[in-house]
């Protein structure tokens, strides 16, 4: 895959199969019935129990589909998409040959689960399923060609294919309003994690990827605190949904391995210790930014964020990158998202395991620096 360079400015951007993005209040009610592939399409809903039990959202979607288009609903997808639940959902879909469409509703786990089911459908029948997604968090799982689930040992497993990106995204603020505030805000930090790490990602193009990420970062810093103060403000919710989209969708098909160290640490911490991915970003991103500030090329890219936060560049890239790390720490404090590993029962004896999972090594300078970063969050 072509890597992007800044000196000289060069690169490549490859678009995805996304066909439509709708946003705004009641966008599901307005548009979903017209989005099915054909008049005979049968859609299967993938979601979690909280949305199904605590809200009327799932029954609303079932009613919109009606008996003609609703083939079934699986409501037991939980955090990090455990394989037992995923297998059960897969069987429900693949045993009904009339199903040609998946509708994922929720955060990263239902969205990723729908992608994995489509991947398995391709392996078994030679064709992917049409995927409409209704995200209710800011994780941006709808924006990438990769999908993750947790195997029997608690290890994160990833599948990837260009055809796994949903064809349609519906950002509906009336759905997102049902998301608990801490989950909503912390997944906003996950979006920030995307927008920061893509700035130094080797295959991220200048346009649209990095330009979108800089805009996303600015919007996240502005509207996350506003949304904390006014959680039912649907304009704020919608702006954050669009910022989440801009934080990751701009990568297109340029994915080549993990997005960066903060994401690698997030995968090491998430499924292994039961930490939500939004909270893993709260734990890791500021420290990773400061570690990256030691590398001149990475510091140059991170420093680009400062003007988008209303601060001038100093001319010293390392200093500017560290100031970005300070700004993220301040944002976490404002949002009430400061946390430590001990809050999730992760002790010092786990540092070698986490560091090896994140770095792929068990010694060396990089290993030592990452281990120190983890230790600082105990």
């Amino acid at each position: 895959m072509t890597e992007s360079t800044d000196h000289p400015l060069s690169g490549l951007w490859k678009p995805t199969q996304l066909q439509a993005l709708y946003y705004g209040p009641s966008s599901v009610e307005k548009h979903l019935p017209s989005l099915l592939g054909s008049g005979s399409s049968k859609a299967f809903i993938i979601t979690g129990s909280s949305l199904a039990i605590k809200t009327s959202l799932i029954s609303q979607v079932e009613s919109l589909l009606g008996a003609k288009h609703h083939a079934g609903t699986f409501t037991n997808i939980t955090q990090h998409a455990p394989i037992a639940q995923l297998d059960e959902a897969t069987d429900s879909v693949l045993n009904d040959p009339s199903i040609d469409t998946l509708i994922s509703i929720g955060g990263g786990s239902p969205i990723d689960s729908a992608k994995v089911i489509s991947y398995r459908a391709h392996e078994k029948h030679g064709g992917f399923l049409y995927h409409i997604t209704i995200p209710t968090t800011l994780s941006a799982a709808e924006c990438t060609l990769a999908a993750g689930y947790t195997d029997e040992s608690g290890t994160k497993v990833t599948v990837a294919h260009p055809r796994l990106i949903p064809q349609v995204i519906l950002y509906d603020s009336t759905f997102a309003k049902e998301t608990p505030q801490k989950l909503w805000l912390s997944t906003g930090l996950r979006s920030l994690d995307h927008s920061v790490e893509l700035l130094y990602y080797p295959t991220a193009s200048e346009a649209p990827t990095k330009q979108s990420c800089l805009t996303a970062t600015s919007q996240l810093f502005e509207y996350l605190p506003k949304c904390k103060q006014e959680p039912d403000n649907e304009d704020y919710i919608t702006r954050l949904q669009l910022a989440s989209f801009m934080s990751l969708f701009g990568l297109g098909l340029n994915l080549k391995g993990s997005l960066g160290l903060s994401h690698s640490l997030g995968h090491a911490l998430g499924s292994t210790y039961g930490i939500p991915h939004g909270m893993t970003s709260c734990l890791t991103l500021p420290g990773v930014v400061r570690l990256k500030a030691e590398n001149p090329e990475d510091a140059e890219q991170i420093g680009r964020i400062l003007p988008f936060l209303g601060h001038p560049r100093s001319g010293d890239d390392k200093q500017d990158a560290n100031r970005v790390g300070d700004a993220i720490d301040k944002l976490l404090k404002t949002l009430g998202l400061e946390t430590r590993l001990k809050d999730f029962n992760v002790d010092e004896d786990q540092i070698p395991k986490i560091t090896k999972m994140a770095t792929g090594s068990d010694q060396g300078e990089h290993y030592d620096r990452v281990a120190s970063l983890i230790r600082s969050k105990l």
Side-chain angles (χ1 to χ4, degrees), residues 7-25:
H7 307 289
L9 193 61
S10 68
L12 167 72
W13 182 70
K14 298 173 69 176
T16 73
Q17 67 171 4
L18 179 70
Q19 298 172 3
L21 182 156
Y22 295 89
Y23 59 92

Side-chain angles (χ1 to χ4, degrees), residues 30-319:
K30 293 174 184 175
H31 303 294
L32 180 60
S34 67
L35 293 174
L36 299 174
S38 70
S40 61
S41 286
K42 286 286 189 178
F44 192 91
I45 298 170
I46 305 292
T47 190
S49 60
S50 292
L51 285 176
I53 296 171
K54 298 178 181 179
T55 78
S56 62
L57 299 179
I58 307 307
S59 61
Q60 288 176 34
V61 173
E62 291 172 342
S63 295
L64 286 170
L65 294 173
K68 180 179 180 181
H69 295 295
H70 181 224
T73 301
F74 187 85
T75 63
N76 198 32
I77 298 296
T78 58
Q79 181 174 278
H80 302 301
I83 192 169
Q85 298 163 0
L86 185 57
D87 287 346
E88 186 180 350
T90 300
D91 289 343
S92 297
V93 173
L94 298 189
N95 288 338
D96 184 345
S98 71
I99 295 172
D100 60 4
T101 301
L102 297 175
I103 299 176
S104 58
I105 308 173
S109 294
I111 296 170
D112 273 7
S113 295
K115 291 188 212 174
V116 175
I117 293 169
S118 182
Y119 188 85
R120 290 175 169 182
H122 170 68
E123 287 186 316
K124 185 173 181 178
H125 300 302
F128 293 92
L129 298 171
Y130 194 76
H131 186 181
I132 299 169
T133 185
I134 306 169
T136 61
T137 74
L138 299 171
S139 68
E142 65 275 10
C143 298
T144 175
L145 57 82
Y149 63 94
T150 306
D151 68 12
E152 296 91 341
S153 68
T155 302
K156 183 75 173 250
V157 179
T158 301
V159 298
H161 194 284
R163 295 284 301 278
L164 293 187
I165 292 179
Q167 281 87 351
V168 179
I169 300 172
L170 288 158
Y171 287 129
D172 190 329
S173 55
T174 56
F175 275 61
K177 278 203 305 183
E178 301 287 350
T179 303
Q181 187 180 69
K182 186 173 182 179
L183 176 60
W184 177 256
L185 297 176
S186 64
T187 54
L189 263 292
R190 188 64 171 171
S191 286
L192 185 63
D193 209 341
H194 304 327
S195 65
V196 171
E197 292 230 280
L198 283 185
L199 290 175
Y200 47 78
Y201 191 67
T203 57
S205 60
E206 178 64 25
T209 311
K210 294 183 181 182
Q211 293 295 328
S212 294
C213 287
L214 290 167
T215 300
T217 299
S218 174
Q219 296 281 290
L220 291 164
F221 265 87
E222 179 176 357
Y223 287 101
L224 283 170
K226 289 182 177 181
C227 205
K228 178 178 171 60
Q229 295 300 317
E230 298 181 50
D232 292 329
N233 187 310
E234 295 196 42
D235 281 345
Y236 295 166
I237 291 171
T238 302
R239 286 190 180 278
L240 285 170
Q241 289 175 315
L242 295 177
S244 175
F245 176 79
M246 289 189 290
S247 77
L248 189 55
F249 186 79
L251 184 61
L253 299 183
N254 290 26
L255 184 65
K256 182 183 179 182
S258 175
L259 288 188
L261 177 59
S262 185
H263 284 72
S264 296
L265 284 166
H267 291 314
L269 291 168
S271 56
T272 308
Y273 301 98
I275 305 175
H277 276 313
M279 296 309 298
T280 65
S281 294
C282 297
L283 285 161
T284 62
L285 183 57
V288 167
V289 166
R290 293 188 179 96
L291 192 154
K292 290 288 184 179
E294 301 295 325
N295 179 293
E297 292 181 357
D298 295 339
E300 179 186 4
Q301 292 301 310
I302 296 169
R304 297 174 65 183
I305 293 172
L306 274 185
F308 287 82
L309 304 183
H311 305 296
R313 299 292 299 270
S314 69
D316 182 328
D317 291 337
K318 180 178 178 180
Q319 177 182 319

Side-chain angles (χ1 to χ4, degrees), residues 322-372:
N322 278 311
R323 289 170 65 197
V324 171
D326 293 342
I328 297 170
D329 270 333
K330 184 178 179 180
L331 178 64
L332 288 170
K333 184 175 182 179
T334 299
L335 299 176
L337 293 176
E338 293 176 298
T339 189
R340 307 198 71 80
L341 287 168
K342 65 181 181 182
D343 299 328
F344 300 96
N345 300 312
V346 179
D347 297 321
E348 188 164 6
D349 62 350
Q350 297 299 302
I351 291 177
K353 176 181 177 180
I354 298 167
T355 309
K356 184 174 182 179
M357 290 175 68
T359 65
S361 62
D362 55 12
Q363 61 181 339
E365 181 181 357
H366 182 58
Y367 175 94
D368 292 340
R369 294 174 72 186
V370 174
S372 178

